[in-house]
Amino acid sequence: MAELDQTSTDTRPAIVICAWDAGESGWDPVEDLSGEPWNPNGARTVPVPSDAPEALASTLAGHLSDRRTRALLLVGRTRKASGFRLQMRAENRTLDGARADDVGPSIARATAPVGEMVRALNEAGLAAGATSDAEEDAGSYLLYRVLSGLPDDADTPVVGLLRAPENEPDAAVQRAVKTAAQAMARHLAPLPRSRPV
């Protein structure tokens, strides 16, 4: 109950950060012995652990249905590049290549400030670029499912997918995630203050 009270009075918008691969060790949101997750300036992070893609898509959609959650950063690896990649779109495909949604659009575009995130990563000394090429993995599947499931009548949250090179050391992945999340946080307005009932 105390945790709910704390987040309900916190006017910082939440950024959900999720490394979808259970074996991914590069992103650990807790950076010291306090047990508290790292937070960018002006926002708070909500770490979500990996799970089976279907279950994880539902979990992430649930987080984004909370108006206090204004952003989602998916984190994974790429086998197609030697630098960090911000994936700008995902196709309507299941993990085995079939159409995921018969009525959904064929492509969903990330809503994250990709150009600013790429610039921030490069300024931090991390080679990065943006790509429209989707990779056939859980990351692309999750990006599509989350984006295509957003309600039309709500303020669109900032949603992006960051891929690290396959053999990138954990320390560099940590730095890249923090840099990308901070760039996202700059686009988020503080939450309105709760009024007493």
Side-chain angles (χ1 to χ4, degrees):
M1 182 63 93
E3 185 179 338
L4 288 175
D5 292 339
Q6 182 182 7
T7 58
S8 65
T9 59
D10 193 336
T11 61
R12 295 174 301 165
I15 299 176
V16 169
I17 301 179
C18 176
W20 68 80
D21 187 346
E24 178 56 61
S25 61
W27 168 242
D28 180 1
V30 179
E31 60 181 0
D32 57 33
L33 297 177
S34 72
E36 293 296 316
W38 169 85
N39 295 303
N41 293 331
R44 62 186 174 84
T45 56
V46 177
V48 172
S50 64
D51 200 347
E54 277 289 331
L56 191 50
S58 296
T59 298
L60 296 174
H63 279 284
L64 289 172
S65 69
D66 182 340
R67 293 215 178 258
R68 295 172 298 180
T69 301
R70 301 306 308 139
L72 166 64
L73 179 61
L74 294 166
V75 179
R77 298 284 178 163
T78 179
R79 290 166 185 78
K80 292 187 173 183
S82 58
F84 289 90
R85 292 164 57 108
L86 271 298
Q87 186 172 317
M88 297 190 296
R89 66 181 197 159
E91 297 175 4
N92 184 350
R93 294 277 175 252
T94 62
L95 291 172
D96 59 9
R99 190 170 174 85
D101 182 349
D102 290 336
V103 297
S106 60
I107 290 174
R109 298 191 183 282
T111 57
V114 171
E116 185 174 332
M117 293 164 77
V118 168
R119 193 164 38 255
L121 288 164
N122 285 319
E123 287 172 359
L126 300 163
T131 182
S132 291
D133 292 337
E135 298 191 27
E136 295 176 5
D137 64 7
S140 293
Y141 169 78
L142 290 168
L143 183 62
Y144 179 85
R145 282 282 309 274
V146 166
L147 290 169
S148 65
L150 294 174
D152 292 332
D153 59 346
D155 291 336
T156 304
V158 174
V159 178
L161 190 159
L162 172 67
R163 293 183 181 275
E166 193 171 16
N167 298 313
E168 193 72 22
D170 289 355
V173 176
Q174 291 266 14
R175 203 153 52 99
V177 171
K178 291 179 180 181
T179 300
Q182 187 63 67
M184 293 172 92
R186 286 193 283 271
H187 286 260
L188 307 179
L191 301 173
R193 291 195 177 275
S194 299
R195 292 188 180 141
V197 179

